[in-house]
Amino acid sequence: MTTQQRPSFLQDALAVVRSIRLAMSSPESRAKHAYEVFPPSTWTALNNHSSYLNFGYWRNEADTLDDACQALAEKLADAAGFQEGDRILDAGFGYGDQDFMWLKRHSPAKIVGLNVTPTHVRVAQAKAHERGLGDRLIFQEGSATAMTFEPGSFDRVVALESALHFRTRDEFFRQAHHVLRPGGVLATADIVPLNVNKADRRDLFSTSVPGENLYDGNEYVARLQAAGFVHAQLTSIRTHVYEPWCRWAEQKLDDPAFLQSTTWGYRRWLRRELADDTRMRQKFAGLDYVIVVAEKPM
């Protein structure tokens, strides 16, 4: 019996067990366990057909979450300046949807994905194998803060809504600088507090966000510079992210396909968060969503 075939009550029970494991895990392993609390079908249930794991970049009212997630991935690729023949490192790739899209649209020589969550790695590897792309899309289990690549291995390093989980983001900056070639680019789509004095990990929806990563956009740029990067630029896109995502999620709560593909516990949590403006929207009110780009000096 697959995860998707298990009765909802069993999936809810497993989610409780995994939540307890997450709560009891060490700070270093929380990101690894966080995305295994629910099965893949639940994590991606808000999507219509893709398995993206981000809030999306919403350009118009007709967007679906799938459209918005792909638009965000493409916005990050444009910011990073993807070019044909590039060697790209994707740190924290989710289920890898953006990597397949980037390969098709930008023709890099290869994309290497690093992820600490075993389920994500297995799903992405299976998709690459099925499509005969295993030589150009290399998904492997590993940490963005414990890289073993040679200096200058990559032209671009990207992190799509994942760097907030890295322990720590500073260490990721240092290691990204190490594995980039001179003139290479680091680009992130990331979530930071608007007011660091009021920041709380609970506002970022996850205990897997280290307290060391709670700083605002100005500090973000300063820390990139401290890691050796130059020409750092930060752009806020929060008005195209949070509120449109909330509206999409609200309408999904009445979608029979969504109700069938998710567990009772997940639906209850999402409905509770969205039903009260003091919950999810209040959290979003204190958060920025940023695209950040920086270069390694020549």
Side-chain angles (χ1 to χ4, degrees), residues 72-229:
L72 180 61
E74 190 60 13
K75 190 170 186 65
L76 183 62
D78 289 344
F82 282 8
Q83 296 181 12
E84 184 175 348
D86 273 347
R87 301 160 300 162
I88 298 168
L89 174 64
D90 184 7
F93 55 79
Y95 295 112
D97 284 44
Q98 67 268 15
D99 301 294
F100 292 94
M101 186 267 288
W102 289 337
L103 188 70
K104 181 177 180 180
R105 292 193 177 185
H106 299 281
S107 298
K110 68 174 180 178
I111 301 176
V112 176
L114 276 182
N115 201 306
V116 296
T117 303
T119 301
H120 290 175
V121 177
R122 289 195 298 270
V123 170
Q125 286 176 337
K127 289 192 293 187
H129 177 74
E130 290 169 2
R131 302 177 192 184
L133 297 172
D135 58 334
R136 296 178 66 197
L137 289 180
I138 304 165
F139 299 110
Q140 59 192 61
E141 190 172 339
S143 171
T145 60
M147 300 186 200
T148 58
F149 305 111
E150 293 295 320
S153 296
F154 298 98
D155 302 290
R156 324 279 165 186
V157 174
V158 292
L160 177 55
E161 206 172 294
S162 55
L164 72 161
H165 296 291
F166 298 159
R167 186 169 293 275
T168 62
R169 197 190 275 125
D170 287 346
E171 184 59 33
F172 167 60
F173 291 164
R174 287 190 287 269
Q175 297 207 18
H177 188 275
H178 178 73
V179 302
L180 280 167
R181 64 163 172 81
V185 174
L186 169 65
T188 65
D190 214 344
I191 299 171
V192 296
L194 285 168
N195 186 335
V196 70
N197 294 323
K198 298 180 180 179
D200 190 302
R201 281 186 299 178
R202 289 171 295 182
D203 294 337
L204 294 171
F205 302 97
S206 177
T207 58
S208 66
V209 178
E212 299 94 323
N213 290 349
L214 295 182
Y215 45 81
D216 64 17
N218 291 332
E219 182 67 14
Y220 201 111
V221 170
R223 293 186 182 219
L224 280 168
Q225 294 169 340
F229 287 95

Side-chain angles (χ1 to χ4, degrees), residues 4-27:
Q4 287 79 5
Q5 292 171 326
R6 289 171 180 154
S8 178
F9 72 87
L10 180 55
Q11 291 190 27
D12 283 324
L14 287 171
V16 171
V17 172
R18 291 165 180 159
S19 296
I20 293 172
R21 181 181 66 178
L22 173 62
M24 297 177 64
S25 63
S26 66

Side-chain angles (χ1 to χ4, degrees), residues 48-67:
N48 285 344
H49 55 77
S50 69
S51 54
Y52 280 104
L53 291 176
N54 66 68
F55 284 115
Y57 177 68
W58 303 77
R59 294 172 295 189
N60 56 68
E61 291 293 329
D63 284 347
T64 66
L65 180 57
D66 308 87
D67 296 330

Side-chain angles (χ1 to χ4, degrees), residues 278-293:
T278 65
R279 292 181 181 271
M280 191 168 284
R281 283 184 171 88
Q282 185 177 50
K283 293 177 181 180
F284 286 145
L287 299 176
D288 205 351
Y289 199 106
V290 295
I291 302 291
V292 189
V293 184

